[in-house]
Amino acid sequence: MRIRLAIAEDHMSFREGMALFLKYESDIELVGFAKNGKELLEIVRKKRPTVVVTDVRMPIMDGIVASQLITKEYPEVKIIAFTMFDQRAAIEQMLQAGAKGYILKNSSLTTLLEAVRCVAKGNIFYDSGIATQNDKKNGSLDRLTNRQKEILKLVTEGKSNPEIAKLLFIERSTVETHRKNMIQKLGLSGPGELLRYGLQKRYEF
């Protein structure tokens, strides 16, 4: 599978470093760089990349707005958020905008490569370096019922509520109720944190 990759990043040094690193990866074709969200949207419309890596904070149009527009127009394009900051609000905004991955700029380029290949296959990638102040306070998986653990596992695989309901032969409203209960039981603050928690605990299921 050849991955067509577009990158939006307003710092030239980052762009040059990523281009050099990806140059020798035979399964990845770098189809364009953008300095802001508006340029990224134009590249997506012209080049139709498989995966987009976008900075969250950019001039003219930020990564959140750009991701919302890309997801609406080209839902098949996989988006990875790329930022200097481990900010819970930004993470949740990008996930709500359609991002399938989130990595920090201080992570290695090997992590970036891993993320690109992961989301290209339809999976979700969440940088292990991302944490929140509440991590140590979050509840154990033992607090969840077996059904909730099943749902959480599917959430970490990127499944939507309707997809989870169909797979488990239950009503969509039941899935939504379980998700709300899980957030409360685990002491989390929203859907973005539930996904983060599930990805951090995915080897414990």
Side-chain angles (χ1 to χ4, degrees):
M1 174 184 175
R2 192 161 177 80
I3 302 168
R4 292 169 57 79
L5 176 66
I7 297 174
E9 164 58 54
D10 62 340
H11 290 89
M12 185 179 294
S13 58
F14 275 110
R15 294 200 302 269
E16 291 176 347
M18 287 187 283
L20 184 63
F21 181 77
L22 296 169
K23 184 177 180 181
Y24 302 103
E25 302 299 325
S26 60
D27 60 330
I28 296 177
E29 177 187 358
L30 193 55
V31 299
F33 275 115
K35 297 187 292 295
N36 56 64
K38 185 178 178 181
E39 288 184 7
L40 175 61
L41 195 56
E42 291 172 358
I43 290 172
V44 171
R45 287 169 175 162
K46 292 176 181 177
K47 302 292 184 69
R48 301 295 177 87
T50 314
V51 177
V52 163
V53 176
T54 179
D55 196 352
V56 176
R57 306 303 179 199
M58 294 184 292
I60 302 177
M61 179 189 292
D62 68 19
I64 296 168
V65 175
S67 296
Q68 290 170 338
L69 293 172
I70 292 169
T71 299
K72 183 178 180 180
E73 293 184 32
Y74 307 99
E76 72 279 5
V77 176
K78 307 297 191 301
I79 300 170
I80 298 173
F82 189 53
T83 182
M84 286 291 292
F85 306 103
D86 175 8
Q87 295 179 323
R88 187 166 57 197
I91 292 171
E92 292 199 12
Q93 283 180 302
M94 284 301 296
L95 291 172
Q96 290 168 5
K100 298 299 182 184
Y102 200 103
I103 57 177
L104 299 175
K105 288 184 182 179
N106 60 5
S107 296
S108 67
L109 288 173
T110 303
T111 299
L112 171 65
L113 188 59
E114 182 185 354
V116 168
R117 288 174 172 150
C118 179
V119 301
K121 293 177 182 178
N123 300 315
I124 289 175
F125 187 91
Y126 209 92
D127 195 322
S128 60
I130 296 173
T132 71
Q133 294 178 348
N134 290 326
D135 279 347
K136 294 181 180 178
K137 300 177 184 177
N138 291 158
S140 162
L141 277 173
D142 294 337
R143 295 187 181 188
L144 305 183
T145 65
N146 289 335
R147 174 62 88 191
Q148 288 171 341
K149 289 176 184 177
E150 285 181 307
I151 292 172
L152 183 58
K153 184 175 184 296
L154 292 171
V155 168
T156 63
E157 293 173 2
K159 298 291 190 297
S160 65
N161 286 351
E163 289 172 330
I164 293 172
K166 186 175 180 180
L167 286 167
L168 298 181
F169 303 101
I170 57 179
E171 295 294 326
R172 175 176 175 172
S173 59
T174 303
V175 177
E176 292 169 351
T177 298
H178 275 305
R179 291 184 67 151
K180 289 177 182 177
N181 289 340
M182 282 190 281
I183 289 170
Q184 184 175 13
K185 282 184 179 182
L186 296 170
L188 306 175
S189 63
E193 279 206 9
L194 182 63
L195 174 59
R196 174 196 56 76
Y197 177 89
L199 288 167
Q200 287 182 338
K201 298 287 187 179
R202 62 187 179 276
Y203 300 117
E204 299 180 24
F205 288 118

